[in-house]
């Protein structure tokens, strides 16, 4: 069986492609330094006039996680963020696991090979039932890789220590982490945007290679079905207007994919952070039920991202004769 080894090679290529994005599209978040907080606390104890600024500082501390990945180092002019570190760890772990599982392939699989083949075979049959055998043969490498990577990144982000180990300062409520060493990979909008843009480029390539430019334009603007008589011309205008709306929809898809995944994962991490800090002394207990919820959410979001990209591909690239043959 060659699919697992193929997944390993593609995982490396895709990881290198999507993890290299160093752009920053998140809104700026006000900086919180230890010196500023200490100075505000001292001013409050001496001068009541500064109580307003001290309360603002305290309110800022209680807002929760930063929307922006923290820069923890640089290689030349290339910034290294805490979310990138987690992305690299997840990618390298997957590549090492897949290479280990496929190193000595056995006719009767066991151990790691059995787990990998079960996962790949299950995903293959699932995708094939949605987009058909032809498109699955061409595109399965991407859908399987993106599902496994997103799921792994989501679950790794729940490991204790991610977001709670780093640099910070003491506050009245305990030690406050200002610059975490690790951050969930998909809790960074740059990561989810990179994956969405990779898919958009592949979607264009698959679409033009499957149906051509003429078929692409026909799918967008061409009339569907047969319209006899004088209604043919008004229907042409209607379908042309619908095609213009479809172009807007296509351009919005990367944005929707980006913020759907980022928003759900970032919100989940905020919930865990809030529960951990809600009652002093019970920070280890209150988040436990929400960890199970986030485990499920991580699976659901990986599945949703894979399904949406697969359906978008099928809607443009499917062939009517293949669909008819499949129903027969």
């Amino acid at each position: 069986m060659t699919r697992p080894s193929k997944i390993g090679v593609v995982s490396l290529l895709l990881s290198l492609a999507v993890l290299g994005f160093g752009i920053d599209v998140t809104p700026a978040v006000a900086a919180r330094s230890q010196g500023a907080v200490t100075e505000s606390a001292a001013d409050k104890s001496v001068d009541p006039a500064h109580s307003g600024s001290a309360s603002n500082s305290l309110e800022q501390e209680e807002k929760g996680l930063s929307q922006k990945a923290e820069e923890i180092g640089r290689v030349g002019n290339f910034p290294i963020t805490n979310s990138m570190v987690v992305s690299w760890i997840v990618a390298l772990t997957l590549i090492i696991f897949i290479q280990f599982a496929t190193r000595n392939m056995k006719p009767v699989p066991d151990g790691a090979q059995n787990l990998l083949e079960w996962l790949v075979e299950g995903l293959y049959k699932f995708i094939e039932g949605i987009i058909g055998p032809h498109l699955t043969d061409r595109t399965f490498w991407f859908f399987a890789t993106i599902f496994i990577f997103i799921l792994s990144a989501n679950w790794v982000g729940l490991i204790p220590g991610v977001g709670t180990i780093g640099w910070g300062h003491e506050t009245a409520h305990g030690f406050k982490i200002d610059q975490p060493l690790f951050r969930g990979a998909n809790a960074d909008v740059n990561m989810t945007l990179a994956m969405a843009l990779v898919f958009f480029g592949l979607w264009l390539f698959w679409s033009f290679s499957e149906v051509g430019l003429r078929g692409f334009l026909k799918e967008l603007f061409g009339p569907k079905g047969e319209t006899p008589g004088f209604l043919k011309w008004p229907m042409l205008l209607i379908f042309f207007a619908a095609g213009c709306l479809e172009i807007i929809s296509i351009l919005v898809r990367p944005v929707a994919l980006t913020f759907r995944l980022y928003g759900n994962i970032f919100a989940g991490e905020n919930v865990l952070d809030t529960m951990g800090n809600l009652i002093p002394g019970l920070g280890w207990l209150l988040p436990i039920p929400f960890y199970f919820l986030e485990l499920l959410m991580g699976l659901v979001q990986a599945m949703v991202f894979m399904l949406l990209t697969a359906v978008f591909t099928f809607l443009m690239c499917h062939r009517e004769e293949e669909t008819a043959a499949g129903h027969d």
Side-chain angles (χ1 to χ4, degrees), residues 47-62:
D47 188 357
H50 291 149
S51 59
S53 63
S55 61
N56 291 337
S57 177
L58 180 59
E59 181 182 356
Q60 185 179 10
E61 286 184 0
E62 295 176 349

Side-chain angles (χ1 to χ4, degrees), residues 236-248:
L236 287 175
L237 294 176
I238 293 175
F239 280 113
F240 177 79
C244 294
L245 295 177
E246 183 65 17
I247 290 178
I248 298 175

Side-chain angles (χ1 to χ4, degrees), residues 203-204 207-208 211-224 235-251 253 315-316:
W203 179 82
L204 290 174
S207 298
F208 287 124
V211 300
L213 178 60
R214 181 178 178 180
F216 186 86
L217 296 176
K218 182 180 179 181
E219 183 68 26
L220 291 178
F221 302 105
K224 278 71 174 178
M235 292 302 294
L236 287 175
L237 294 176
I238 293 175
F239 280 113
F240 177 79
C244 294
L245 295 177
E246 183 65 17
I247 290 178
I248 298 175
S249 172
I250 290 172
L251 295 176
R253 285 174 187 174
L315 290 177
M316 180 56 68

Side-chain angles (χ1 to χ4, degrees), residues 8 31 39 44 50 56 63 70 111 115 123 158 188 202 204 214 216 286 308 327:
E39 183 180 354
K44 180 180 178 181
H50 291 149
N56 291 337
K63 282 183 179 179
E70 300 288 343
L115 173 62
L123 287 173
L158 299 176
D188 182 2
L202 289 172
L204 290 174
R214 181 178 178 180
F216 186 86
L286 293 181
L308 287 177
H327 287 301

